[in-house]
Amino acid sequence: MRSVREIFKSKEYLLDEPEVEKLIKYCEELQDEIVEFKFQKTNNKELAMLDMLKEVIKGCNEIEKELIEHERFGYEAPDYEATISNLKNYIYSRCRDEKIWLE
């Protein structure tokens, strides 16, 4: 499964278009529904954790790619503070939704 950033890599300016934003939101909702369906099908929190970890790793890989591009081509550096904040929010949100208690 390809990420939004991968799909729009050569035309990132399109990400700001209202129609594209709606499409991204719709895709995210579908991804959530797929994960929920998988969880209901197996009733297994391990699957939910595995899916969450895969998404986290995919996000980390994207940031690493951005850093390499920044160093190689002088593109804008990744915003690590926002990335870390988004990552934490994602993890806590998924854990809350899946009733997985980390603390």
Side-chain angles (χ1 to χ4, degrees):
M1 191 160 154
R2 292 174 54 192
S3 71
V4 172
R5 186 169 292 287
E6 289 173 313
I7 293 170
F8 289 96
K9 185 175 183 177
S10 63
K11 297 183 180 182
E12 285 194 16
Y13 63 90
L14 292 175
L15 291 173
D16 296 329
E17 294 294 325
E19 294 84 2
V20 175
E21 289 177 352
K22 287 179 185 176
L23 180 61
I24 291 169
K25 183 175 171 66
Y26 177 69
C27 289
E28 289 171 349
E29 290 171 2
L30 286 178
Q31 287 174 338
D32 290 343
E33 288 179 23
I34 289 169
V35 169
E36 186 176 325
F37 175 73
K38 285 180 185 178
F39 179 73
Q40 289 174 353
K41 185 177 174 185
T42 62
N43 199 20
N44 184 346
K45 290 188 179 191
E46 183 178 319
L47 181 61
M49 288 294 290
L50 181 61
D51 184 63
M52 182 172 34
L53 289 172
K54 285 180 181 179
E55 289 298 316
V56 168
I57 294 298
K58 187 170 28 172
C60 291
N61 289 339
E62 287 179 20
I63 291 296
E64 287 175 341
K65 284 180 185 177
E66 284 184 38
L67 178 61
I68 290 169
E69 289 177 358
H70 167 70
E71 291 172 352
R72 185 172 178 195
F73 301 111
Y75 292 159
E76 184 176 333
D79 183 354
Y80 295 108
E81 188 174 312
T83 300
I84 291 169
S85 178
N86 291 337
L87 181 58
K88 285 174 62 177
N89 289 337
Y90 170 74
I91 291 170
Y92 286 129
S93 173
R94 283 292 305 272
C95 286
R96 184 178 55 252
D97 292 347
E98 303 294 342
K99 295 180 178 32
I100 298 169
W101 312 117
L102 299 176
E103 299 173 21

